[in-house]
Amino acid sequence: MWVARAHEKTVRAKRSRYQIMAEIMQDCLLPRCKTHIMYKGNMSFTQINAYLNMLISLGMLSQADGKYETTDRGRQFISAYNSLGEIMGKPAPLL
């Protein structure tokens, strides 16, 4: 029988900036509030604000009535991100 030990930590690879951006935009294919995006992405308030502001300034997200939604440009990014993953031989995690 396998027993987990408290001192053993699970090794988890860090997400890249591009992966985080793609995950946020994937989640926002339907309009989402900031809190939902923050919890789903496992990010702090400071982190989510920085990413949302950056994605809005790049034209990849739009904001209306406190909800964020992926734009056509953001959809293109998701598609390109997934294509790159396929080229690199990694399974595409999105879409």
Side-chain angles (χ1 to χ4, degrees):
M1 173 163 57
W2 183 80
V3 178
R5 293 185 173 89
H7 67 279
E8 294 177 0
K9 294 184 179 181
T10 304
V11 177
R12 180 177 164 192
K14 291 186 178 183
R15 298 179 290 175
S16 72
R17 175 178 293 233
Y18 297 112
Q19 183 178 4
I20 293 170
M21 291 168 58
E23 288 174 0
I24 291 170
M25 288 184 286
Q26 174 68 35
D27 190 35
C28 292
L29 288 172
L30 297 174
R32 302 287 187 195
C33 66
K34 186 185 293 188
T35 306
H36 172 90
I37 302 164
M38 183 175 76
Y39 286 137
K40 180 136 188 206
N42 194 27
M43 288 183 269
S44 70
F45 184 77
T46 304
Q47 288 172 317
I48 197 63
N49 277 334
Y51 276 102
L52 292 176
N53 290 332
M54 177 181 58
L55 291 169
I56 288 170
S57 70
L58 292 172
M60 295 186 186
L61 281 183
S62 63
Q63 179 187 16
D65 300 324
K67 303 271 182 167
Y68 297 86
E69 189 169 8
T70 304
T71 63
D72 289 337
R73 185 172 181 179
R75 292 178 202 288
Q76 289 175 334
F77 178 92
I78 293 169
S79 179
Y81 178 82
N82 288 334
S83 295
L84 181 60
E86 291 172 8
I87 290 169
M88 300 296 290
K90 297 179 182 177
L94 304 172
L95 290 180

